[in-house]
């Protein structure tokens, strides 16, 4: 496997405050990688580094097998397209906004025009191409910023919360567009999101960032509390954990490790909690089930499994999982 | 009161009749101040952007100095430059004392702190995402500078207009460095002073009204650009 990025021992501080502490991060090329985490977890700082906009205080970075130093950043930037969470659009028309990156690269006018017309059509921006970018809605601005990054045909496309402000139609179009980009152009896509489920269904690799620390698992079920022997106490639940695990203040369980049943299961699983179904969401051929069992659990099952289970919103189910399926950190 | 009304009417007649002498003086004032603003803008705006985006020791002191120099007395600038341009001064050989170039130099020095300071303020108030966006599009330092100029154009235009307003209305520099030579270095402000002292009140008043009109237009432009910048 070829790595687009290899980060080791990366440390970022804002003044005296540590923001990122990454021992090792490998991001595969020609694939989609999702970084999931709450606000303030260090996602944007990490993206700024991956987009070569900020140099960390410490650590090493390899970009497509080449070691990168601070002096290489300017050169590398042109290989990366970056769309910020709230993109800045210049005080100019939509057309001029999308064209600027091509102008910066010194591309001929005819070639620019051809690329622009193609992307404007693809993103359905024909109707607003001549409008001033400052007057656009949040969703339109997001589209223009994406078009501005994609028209440069970057090797790596970095998107900070790209699905915010988008209507469902364009959201699906963007998902397809990202998959096409990976499939046909072998591009590397890195995106951040709060939505664990979206990350899991869209991305080939999912990393979680919590307080600047990286977790190589999708923590749809993340609880805070304290370890006490073979128990992790959240305040509302006591979860059985292997006694040898190092103590920690957070516990994560992957969604696909949860087993749902109408009756308590007679099995080796040490954790069984009764709860009520709060939400059933059909998302991209999977059913996302939210259960309130004191703490909220998020499980992912197939439509067939839901049919066999025969439950609906408000009904009671049992959530079971093995003590060995939890991660305490 | 009658005297004032009569001279005001005479002044208006001079303006309406397009008196050649009056309009030659207005034209001299305008072109000298435009050139001075051009020179000060070429220096002050890039320096403003540079100071806004770079951190260096003494930056705070420099900004405080610029703030102070915004209220630089015109006669002080005139006096110091007179020392440089006079025949025995370090630049005496250039022979520019009592020429329009001397007034341009003096006015440029006078308004440089205004343009510099207002450019720093404009750049510091720019959207913090602007720089990041320029960088992520792969812009070089020079390209980033050009994009910033374009994005901050309204705020910078407001600085330019404010500088012009200060230059065209000053009298100390034009008098000390220009010498008030008719048809050469006579500006609106020096002509007003001279004609009034000679008792030609209506001539002075006509120029005063035209100066007020210029100031009014400049003020309108300033408000327009400040509104656009917001």
């Amino acid at each position: 496997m070829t790595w687009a990025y290899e980060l080791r021992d990366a440390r970022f501080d804002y003044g005296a405050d540590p923001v990122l502490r990454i021992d090792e991060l490998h991001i595969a090329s020609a694939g989609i990688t999702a970084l999931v985490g709450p606000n303030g977890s260090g996602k944007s700082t990490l993206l700024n580094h991956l987009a070569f906009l900020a140099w960390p205080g410490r650590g090493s970075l390899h970009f497509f097998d080449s070691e990168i130093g601070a002096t290489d950043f300017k050169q590398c930037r042109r290989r990366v397209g970056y769309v910020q969470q709230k993109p800045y659009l210049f005080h100019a028309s939509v057309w001029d906004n999308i064209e600027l990156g091509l102008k910066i690269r010194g591309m001929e006018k005819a070639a620019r025009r051809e690329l622009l017309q193609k992307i404007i059509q693809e993103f359905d921006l024909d109707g607003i191409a001549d409008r001033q970018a400052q007057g656009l809605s949040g969703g339109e601005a997001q589209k223009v910023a994406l078009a501005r990054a994609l028209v440069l045909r970057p090797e790596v496309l970095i998107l900070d919360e790209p699905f915010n402000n988008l209507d469902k139609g364009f959201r699906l179009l963007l998902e397809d567009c990202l998959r096409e980009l990976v499939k046909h152009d072998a591009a590397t896509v890195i995106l951040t999101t709060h939505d664990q489920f979206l990350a899991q269904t869209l991305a080939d690799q999912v990393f979680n960032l919590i307080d600047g620390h990286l977790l190589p698992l999708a923590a749809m079920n993340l609880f805070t509390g304290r370890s006490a022997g073979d128990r992790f106490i959240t305040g509302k639940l006591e979860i059985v954990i292997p006694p040898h695990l190092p103590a920690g203040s957070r516990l994560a369980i992957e969604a696909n490790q949860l087993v749902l049943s109408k009756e308590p299961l007679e099995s080796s699983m040490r954790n069984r909690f009764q709860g009520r179904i709060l939400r059933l969401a059909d998302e991209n051929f999977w059913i996302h089930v939210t259960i309130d069992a004191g703490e909220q659990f998020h499980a992912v099952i197939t439509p067939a499994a839901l049919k066999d289970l025969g439950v609906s919103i408000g009904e009671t189910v049992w959530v079971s999982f093995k003590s060995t399926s939890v991660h305490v950190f | 009161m009658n005297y004032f009304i009569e001279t005001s009417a005479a002044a208006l007649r001079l303006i309406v009749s397009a008196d050649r002498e009056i309009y030659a003086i207005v034209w001299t004032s305008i072109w000298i101040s435009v050139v001075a603003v051009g020179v000060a803008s070429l220096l002050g705006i890039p320096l403003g952007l540079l100071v806004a985006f770079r951190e260096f020791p003494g930056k705070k002191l420099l900004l405080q100095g610029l703030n102070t120099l915004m209220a630089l007395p015109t006669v002080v600038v005139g006096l110091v430059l007179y020392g440089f341009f006079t025949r025995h001064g370090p630049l005496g050989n250039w022979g520019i004392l009592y020429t329009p170039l001397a007034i341009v130099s003096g006015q440029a020095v006078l308004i440089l702190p205004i343009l510099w300071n207002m450019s720093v303020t404009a750049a510091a108030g720019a959207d913090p995402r602007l720089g990041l966006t320029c960088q992520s599009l792969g812009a070089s330092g020079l390209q980033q500078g050009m994009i910033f100029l374009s994005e901050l154009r309204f705020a910078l235009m407001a600085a330019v207009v404010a500088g012009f307003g200060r230059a065209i209305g000053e009298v100390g520099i034009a008098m000390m460095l220009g010498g008030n030579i008719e048809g050469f270095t006579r500006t609106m402000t020096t002509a007003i002073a001279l004609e009034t002292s000679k008792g030609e009140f209506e001539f002075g008043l006509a120029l005063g009204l035209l100066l007020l009109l210029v100031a009014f237009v400049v003020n309108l432009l300033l408000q327009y650009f400040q509104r656009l910048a917001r």
Side-chain angles (χ1 to χ4, degrees), chain A residues 21-263:
Chain A
R21 291 284 180 270
I22 294 179
D23 295 329
E24 203 162 305
L25 171 64
H26 290 76
I27 294 177
S29 68
I32 300 176
T33 297
L35 294 168
V36 188
N39 285 336
S41 58
K43 300 194 299 288
S44 294
T45 305
L46 179 55
L47 287 196
N48 279 349
H49 181 41
L50 298 178
F52 302 106
L53 297 170
W55 176 248
R58 260 178 62 186
S60 74
L61 168 65
H62 282 74
F63 185 49
F64 290 102
D65 295 333
S66 301
E67 183 160 11
I68 305 298
T71 51
D72 305 310
F73 264 40
K74 280 186 184 171
Q75 212 179 349
C76 291
R77 263 178 218 155
R78 292 199 173 193
R79 298 167 65 186
V80 178
Y82 181 35
V83 181
Q84 298 172 59
Q85 186 176 357
K86 287 182 183 162
Y88 180 86
L89 296 182
F90 300 104
H91 291 77
S93 68
V94 167
W95 177 281
D96 290 341
N97 263 278
I98 302 173
E99 191 181 28
L100 187 65
L102 299 173
K103 271 187 177 171
I104 284 171
R105 282 157 176 74
M107 187 179 275
E108 294 278 328
K109 193 175 179 181
R112 291 202 307 259
R113 197 175 175 79
E114 196 181 324
L115 283 173
L116 251 87
Q117 276 169 343
K118 197 176 158 202
I119 196 112
I120 279 179
Q121 216 161 22
E122 198 178 334
F123 275 53
D124 197 21
L125 295 169
D126 306 70
I128 60 168
D130 294 327
R131 265 176 57 189
Q132 284 297 300
Q134 300 302 311
L136 300 179
S137 69
E140 285 171 334
Q142 191 83 7
K143 270 190 199 181
V144 173
L146 282 164
R148 182 171 65 187
L150 281 171
V151 79
L152 302 174
R153 298 180 171 183
E155 288 170 64
V156 177
L157 179 65
I158 296 179
L159 308 168
D160 197 358
E161 300 281 356
F163 299 102
N164 285 0
N165 298 324
L166 296 185
D167 56 71
K168 195 174 178 188
F170 187 66
R171 182 180 160 150
L172 292 174
L173 177 77
L174 179 60
E175 286 182 20
D176 288 344
C177 175
L178 297 180
R179 288 191 187 100
E180 282 290 302
L181 206 65
V182 169
K183 196 173 165 189
H184 292 295
D185 298 350
T188 304
V189 177
I190 302 165
L191 56 90
T192 61
T193 177
H194 286 86
D195 189 338
Q196 287 280 1
F197 192 80
L198 174 81
Q200 284 193 320
T201 52
L202 181 64
D204 306 302
Q205 266 184 306
V206 178
F207 294 101
N208 277 269
L209 263 176
I210 309 286
D211 294 341
H213 294 273
L214 209 57
L215 306 175
L217 72 149
M220 280 178 84
N221 298 290
L222 181 68
F223 306 114
T224 53
R226 62 184 173 84
S227 312
D230 66 346
R231 294 280 191 280
F232 185 88
I233 301 158
T234 72
K236 294 174 181 169
L237 286 179
E238 281 194 17
I239 297 170
V240 181
I241 59 174
H244 61 271
L245 281 186
S249 59
R250 289 193 175 84
L251 179 145
I253 315 153
E254 293 200 55
N256 58 10
Q257 297 293 321
L258 301 185
V259 177
L260 303 184
S261 58
K262 275 183 114 169
E263 302 296 332

Side-chain angles (χ1 to χ4, degrees), chain B residues 50-63:
Chain B
L50 212 63
V51 169
F53 299 124
R54 294 278 158 88
E55 291 304 323
F56 52 87
K59 182 174 173 175
K60 211 170 171 181
L61 198 67
L62 173 69
L63 292 175

Side-chain angles (χ1 to χ4, degrees), chain A residues 224-300:
Chain A
T224 53
R226 62 184 173 84
S227 312
D230 66 346
R231 294 280 191 280
F232 185 88
I233 301 158
T234 72
K236 294 174 181 169
L237 286 179
E238 281 194 17
I239 297 170
V240 181
I241 59 174
H244 61 271
L245 281 186
S249 59
R250 289 193 175 84
L251 179 145
I253 315 153
E254 293 200 55
N256 58 10
Q257 297 293 321
L258 301 185
V259 177
L260 303 184
S261 58
K262 275 183 114 169
E263 302 296 332
L265 292 176
E266 290 298 325
S267 72
S268 64
M269 286 185 282
R270 304 282 313 278
N271 290 294
R272 284 187 291 269
F273 302 103
Q274 194 177 28
R276 189 176 297 276
I277 296 177
L278 293 180
R279 181 171 170 262
L280 288 169
D282 186 350
E283 295 183 54
N284 290 358
F285 314 111
W286 296 95
I287 306 294
H288 182 184
V289 188
T290 308
I291 306 120
D292 182 7
E295 297 284 358
Q296 279 192 16
F297 287 93
H298 301 273
V300 178

